[in-house]
Amino acid sequence: MEETQSKNKYRALFLKPWEKGNKNIVRDFVYGCWCNGKRIGGMQMPPINEIYCATHARSEVVDAVFIDAQTSWDRFEEIESSGYASIDCLILMCSTQSFRSDLRILEKAKSLKPAIKTVLFGSHPTFMPEYALAGAVDFLVRKEPEETIRVLLDALARNEDTSRINGTGYRDKDGKVVLNANREFCDMDVLPIPDRTLLPENADYFNPVVHRLPYTTIQTSRGCPGRCIFCTSPEFYGKKYRARSAENVLKELREIKKLGYREVFFRDETFTALKKRNAEICQAMINEKLNLSWIANGRVDMIDKEMMALMKKAGCHMLKFGVETSSDELLKTYRKGTTSEQARACFKAARELGIETHAHLVFGGPGESWNTINTTIKFVKEIKPSTASFGILTPYPGTELFAMVASMNPSIQDGSDSNMDNLHTEGFYSKEVSGMTGDELSLAVKRAYRKFYLRPSYVLGKLLRIRSFEQLVILVISGLNILSFSISGKK
């Protein structure tokens, strides 16, 4: 890898870390909100944000490379065993839940090569910069990262002043935290198409809801029209919802097709928010016979049956929705902007059209009780999603929910006692949020998985829909993961 690049360029390594023992961590949203383990059926996701950053950072003076240590551990070990000899700068995307483990990687890199520069970007550096600027961290990048990282690497490569770069933070010679002004958000059409050749060759990103392999991810918008009290996306990406043009998206889809991918996962927070643009994209996919199957995230109040039908014709086979709860009172508290009846109608429409659905549910919000939990479990069985995930509501830094908890109990500090081992399955300041204990909510999550997935009718339905040996293998792997979690509650 390194030998094929110019040795005169400044070498930046974008690393997706991996700690042995954690088989799958879906750490692809730059604003955090990651998940992992058996609870999500063993799902893995090809990274997109690091690829965006690395592609944009390349220049006449900067060479950017990427390693996904989860799928290319040998490449990472080779770099580390060399003492990062060929690397000038190490860059990690970091969430609150990964911060402590990410910091250990940077500390080791500094011990092997003290001169190496280290950079963190993502949710934790954005919302908790004073904590994130620990001893082994030279720079942090806040909010939207691509242009800030490009400018920072260019300045480092040219040995120029880095102290006034917008969007960055660092400690000065006296140890004082310096946070420069935020950088303006970009026009997404200006960003280059991510160079997917940076991804590891023949990487097996297992995903139980994907129909055709190989698959890749794509991002066509940033931000969310919603203002949920538990989500970091609006604060991270700005209050204005931004999107790429239809033609710009189609340009990338054509390239994806040429690279040999057969399926695409749209990782937009709310892909369905842009009806007119999406209709253009879908119609072009149909007219050009792109033959890409795909999955997208949506809101139950921002899609109708007519749009679903067009999306299905264009290759969409699954829609994923944040249902959250069946309680309209809780939905109001969350400021979700949706109702349980909208969810019911949305899932009914998708089912009538033959589109698979996934429902995301959370337990432990303000006003949660065993009554609302049991009603939600019953509701989910009634709306009949193809798959569902249940988790404990976690207060993330940068959200109104976190601020509420911190005002009640400052011991939460930067929130990094929450980690990838306990996220969504164990309580984290749950008593302050909902009045329910962490143990109660852990039990509720296990109960929900059992009542939804271990129904004979659900299992039989899944078996009857198998159409290939590949589908059988996927069902067995994901099913065993879900079964194990349903029994043990361990990820």
Side-chain angles (χ1 to χ4, degrees), residues 208-219:
V209 298
V210 165
H211 280 192
R212 301 197 298 170
L213 296 174
Y215 87 103
T216 189
T217 51
I218 186 173
Q219 188 181 68

Side-chain angles (χ1 to χ4, degrees), residues 397-422:
T399 66
E400 184 177 324
L401 184 66
F402 186 91
M404 180 191 80
V405 173
S407 68
M408 297 169 63
N409 193 341
S411 68
I412 195 171
Q413 296 185 318
D414 68 335
S416 62
D417 281 339
S418 172
N419 55 54
M420 297 310 300
D421 292 329
N422 58 36

Side-chain angles (χ1 to χ4, degrees), residues 201-488:
E201 284 189 56
N202 304 315
D204 179 21
Y205 291 102
F206 175 77
N207 194 319
V209 298
V210 165
H211 280 192
R212 301 197 298 170
L213 296 174
Y215 87 103
T216 189
T217 51
I218 186 173
Q219 188 181 68
T220 76
S221 63
R222 289 180 175 175
C224 181
R227 293 293 180 266
C228 301
I229 66 171
F230 51 74
C231 183
T232 60
S233 175
E235 188 62 31
F236 189 95
Y237 277 137
K239 305 295 191 218
K240 184 179 178 181
Y241 185 60
R242 293 170 293 138
R244 296 164 59 186
S245 63
E247 183 51 42
N248 187 264
V249 174
L250 287 164
K251 182 181 178 182
E252 183 168 354
L253 289 174
R254 294 178 192 118
E255 181 171 307
I256 284 170
K257 180 71 175 179
K258 288 179 182 178
L259 289 170
Y261 290 103
R262 302 172 67 212
E263 183 153 326
V264 176
F265 197 143
F266 287 85
R267 293 298 280 162
D268 305 44
E269 292 80 9
T270 311
F271 179 79
T272 60
L274 296 164
K275 185 174 180 179
K276 182 179 179 182
R277 186 208 66 165
N278 292 348
E280 291 181 42
I281 292 170
C282 289
Q283 195 58 58
M285 292 179 76
I286 296 166
N287 294 343
E288 296 179 27
K289 296 181 173 60
L290 283 184
N291 190 26
L292 289 168
S293 53
W294 50 280
I295 301 169
N297 299 316
R299 281 176 57 101
V300 298
D301 62 334
M302 292 186 175
I303 192 168
D304 55 35
K305 196 171 184 179
E306 179 186 14
M307 190 64 216
M308 284 186 193
L310 180 61
M311 291 168 72
K312 183 182 180 184
K313 191 175 179 182
C316 177
H317 69 83
M318 173 173 263
L319 289 167
K320 306 184 80 173
F321 298 100
V323 175
E324 320 306 355
T325 176
S326 68
S327 167
D328 286 329
E329 284 304 310
L330 273 170
L331 288 170
K332 288 177 184 177
T333 299
Y334 293 152
R335 287 211 293 276
K336 182 72 181 181
T338 63
T339 67
S340 59
E341 282 309 305
Q342 286 174 324
R344 192 186 296 276
C346 180
F347 278 73
K348 181 176 184 288
R351 190 165 59 252
E352 289 173 349
L353 289 168
I355 296 177
E356 296 172 312
T357 52
H358 179 88
H360 294 280
L361 289 305
V362 292
F363 296 148
E368 190 79 88
S369 66
W370 275 113
N371 180 57
T372 58
I373 287 171
N374 290 329
T375 303
T376 293
I377 294 172
K378 180 183 177 184
F379 177 79
V380 175
K381 290 190 288 185
E382 289 173 356
I383 65 174
K384 300 177 182 178
S386 308
T387 54
S389 59
F390 306 84
I392 299 173
L393 185 63
T394 300
Y396 292 111
T399 66
E400 184 177 324
L401 184 66
F402 186 91
M404 180 191 80
V405 173
S407 68
M408 297 169 63
N409 193 341
S411 68
I412 195 171
Q413 296 185 318
D414 68 335
S416 62
D417 281 339
S418 172
N419 55 54
M420 297 310 300
D421 292 329
N422 58 36
L423 181 64
H424 301 315
T425 59
E426 297 178 19
F428 185 67
Y429 289 83
S430 298
K431 195 75 174 174
E432 285 83 350
V433 176
S434 66
M436 297 185 71
T437 67
D439 288 344
E440 286 179 302
L441 293 171
S442 294
L443 177 61
V445 169
K446 284 194 293 183
R447 178 182 293 181
Y449 271 88
R450 291 171 185 169
K451 287 186 174 292
F452 182 81
Y453 282 104
L454 302 188
R455 292 171 292 157
S457 60
Y458 180 85
V459 175
L460 179 61
K462 284 293 184 183
L463 291 172
L464 291 176
R465 283 190 286 272
I466 293 173
R467 295 292 180 268
S468 67
F469 179 72
E470 183 179 43
Q471 288 181 359
L472 175 62
V473 171
I474 289 172
L475 182 62
V476 169
I477 294 172
S478 59
L480 289 174
N481 275 303
I482 292 293
L483 177 62
S484 175
F485 177 78
S486 299
I487 295 171
S488 68

Side-chain angles (χ1 to χ4, degrees), residues 22-26 35-44 420 481-482 485 490-491:
N22 291 316
K23 288 188 177 180
N24 64 302
I25 297 180
V26 179
C35 51
N36 67 316
K38 297 174 182 177
R39 188 183 69 88
I40 56 170
M43 178 189 296
Q44 298 173 329
M420 297 310 300
N481 275 303
I482 292 293
F485 177 78
K490 303 296 183 184
K491 294 196 285 186

Side-chain angles (χ1 to χ4, degrees), residues 2-71:
E2 285 73 31
E3 288 72 19
T4 62
Q5 305 294 333
S6 169
K7 298 191 182 203
N8 295 322
K9 288 189 176 185
Y10 190 82
R11 312 299 304 282
L13 169 61
F14 289 82
L15 174 67
K16 180 184 175 184
W18 180 60
E19 288 192 315
K20 287 187 175 181
N22 291 316
K23 288 188 177 180
N24 64 302
I25 297 180
V26 179
R27 52 184 293 162
D28 67 330
F29 282 139
V30 70
Y31 55 84
C33 305
W34 298 346
C35 51
N36 67 316
K38 297 174 182 177
R39 188 183 69 88
I40 56 170
M43 178 189 296
Q44 298 173 329
M45 201 75 73
I48 190 69
N49 284 288
E50 293 99 332
I51 303 301
Y52 253 125
C53 292
T55 304
H56 191 59
R58 287 171 164 173
S59 71
E60 61 181 11
V61 294
V62 174
D63 174 31
V65 293
F66 170 72
I67 292 180
D68 183 348
Q70 183 170 291
T71 59

